[in-house]
């Protein structure tokens, strides 16, 4: 089933462009918002499945708006939009519960696929920038060396002792951005088995999706900057 989408961006041309792309693909655009406050109000009134949220907006930025929306309705999935390929606020958004992010120059096909993906309960992490972003702004718990230390969202502290050795291995690979298909190939497991392990990890660590799994992997030091390079 196609999701209902709210587009929040202070640039009218961006909103119009995204609306045309989504509606042409059969996805309903429930409404638009020109700033963060409008986005919060529209989300409460329209109950969209997905919010396309620009990070930098007047009156209330996208990060603060995302937090308010998720606090009021955790069911909503938020896909953050950014013009820049490294942005500390994107990292904060992931830690706050956003389900992923995209660059604004995303192709129409990728935009549509991304909206549908996070509506299924998965997370979207643009491979070209996710790891660089997390490595730049995340620091292991208790380490104040991160570039955004002191200003970023609180660490998602989790007790990894609850995980089995196999689950810790899978979480580390999730932190490096591997998909279920890639995990299955790497570990010589079926995708069904991988999905079961991932579901157990999310339950034990109370995670929303893969976006938060990546954050936790770095925050706990399970994955360190440069791992896998």
């Amino acid at each position: 089933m196609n999701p209902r989408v709210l587009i929040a961006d202070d640039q009218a041309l961006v909103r119009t462009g995204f609306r045309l792309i989504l509606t042409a693909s059969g996805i309903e655009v429930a409404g638009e918002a020109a700033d963060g406050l409008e986005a919060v109000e529209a989300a409460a009134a329209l109950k969209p499945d997905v919010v396309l949220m620009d990070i930098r907006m007047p009156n209330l930025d996208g990060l603060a708006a995302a937090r308010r929306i998720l606090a009021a309705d955790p069911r909503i999935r938020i896909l953050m939009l950014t013009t820049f390929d490294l942005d500390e606020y994107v990292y904060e958004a992931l830690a706050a519960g956003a389900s992923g992010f995209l660059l604004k120059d995303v192709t129409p096909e990728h935009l549509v696929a991304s909206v549908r993906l996070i509506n299924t309960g998965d997370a979207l992490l643009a491979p070209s920038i996710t790891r660089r972003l997390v490595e730049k702004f995340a620091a292991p718990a208790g380490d104040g060396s991160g570039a955004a230390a002191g200003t970023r969202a609180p660490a998602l502290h989790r007790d990894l002792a609850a995980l089995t050795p196999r689950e810790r291995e899978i979480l580390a690979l999730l932190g490096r951005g591997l998909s279920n298909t890639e995990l299955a190939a790497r570990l010589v497991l079926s995708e069904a088995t991988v999905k079961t392990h991932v579901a157990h990890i999310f339950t034990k660590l109370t995670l929303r999706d893969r976006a938060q799994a990546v954050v936790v992997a770095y925050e706990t030091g399970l994955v360190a900057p440069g791992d896998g390079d």
Side-chain angles (χ1 to χ4, degrees):
M1 189 171 75
N2 280 324
R4 296 174 66 252
V5 178
L6 170 65
I7 302 172
D9 194 291
D10 61 331
Q11 297 180 6
L13 286 177
V14 171
R15 298 197 305 274
T16 299
F18 282 177
R19 174 185 283 274
L20 291 173
I21 291 168
L22 294 174
T23 54
S25 298
I27 295 175
E28 178 187 353
V29 175
E32 298 180 11
D35 62 42
L37 288 176
E38 286 186 13
V40 173
E41 294 171 357
L46 301 172
K47 305 294 184 185
D49 300 302
V50 176
V51 178
L52 286 175
M53 179 82 75
D54 186 21
I55 287 183
R56 303 188 180 202
M57 291 188 291
N59 298 325
L60 186 70
D61 65 39
L63 176 60
R67 284 178 173 151
R68 292 189 190 183
I69 290 171
L70 290 173
D73 188 351
R75 176 196 63 83
I76 294 175
R77 314 294 289 184
I78 295 183
L79 184 55
M80 306 301 295
L81 300 166
T82 179
T83 305
F84 309 100
D85 71 345
L86 277 178
D87 192 321
E88 65 189 271
Y89 299 110
V90 179
Y91 174 79
E92 285 195 76
L94 295 179
S99 294
F101 60 92
L102 288 172
L103 294 178
K104 284 189 179 181
D105 63 0
V106 62
T107 65
E109 295 78 13
H110 193 188
L111 174 66
V112 171
S114 299
V115 168
R116 287 181 172 148
L117 174 68
I118 70 165
N119 186 54
T120 67
D122 208 339
L124 179 85
L125 301 172
S128 64
I129 59 177
T130 298
R131 197 164 90 186
R132 281 186 298 142
L133 182 149
V134 176
E135 289 183 357
K136 182 175 180 65
F137 295 108
D143 180 354
S145 64
T151 61
R152 58 193 174 89
L156 293 172
H157 297 298
R158 299 289 189 267
D159 183 4
L160 299 187
L163 303 182
T164 66
R166 175 64 92 183
E167 288 166 351
R168 287 173 63 94
E169 181 181 17
I170 289 175
L171 178 58
L173 294 173
L174 286 175
R176 295 172 193 165
L178 271 68
S179 66
N180 284 349
T181 299
E182 292 167 332
L183 283 168
R186 173 76 67 89
L187 301 174
V188 195
L189 298 171
S190 70
E191 283 196 49
T193 298
V194 168
K195 288 179 181 178
T196 298
H197 281 307
V198 171
H200 289 165
I201 292 169
F202 288 0
T203 298
K204 290 180 179 181
L205 302 184
T206 62
L207 301 175
R208 279 174 56 94
D209 51 35
R210 300 173 89 89
Q212 287 198 327
V214 171
V215 173
V216 167
Y218 278 87
E219 293 281 16
T220 60
L222 187 61
V223 177
D227 279 359
D229 287 339

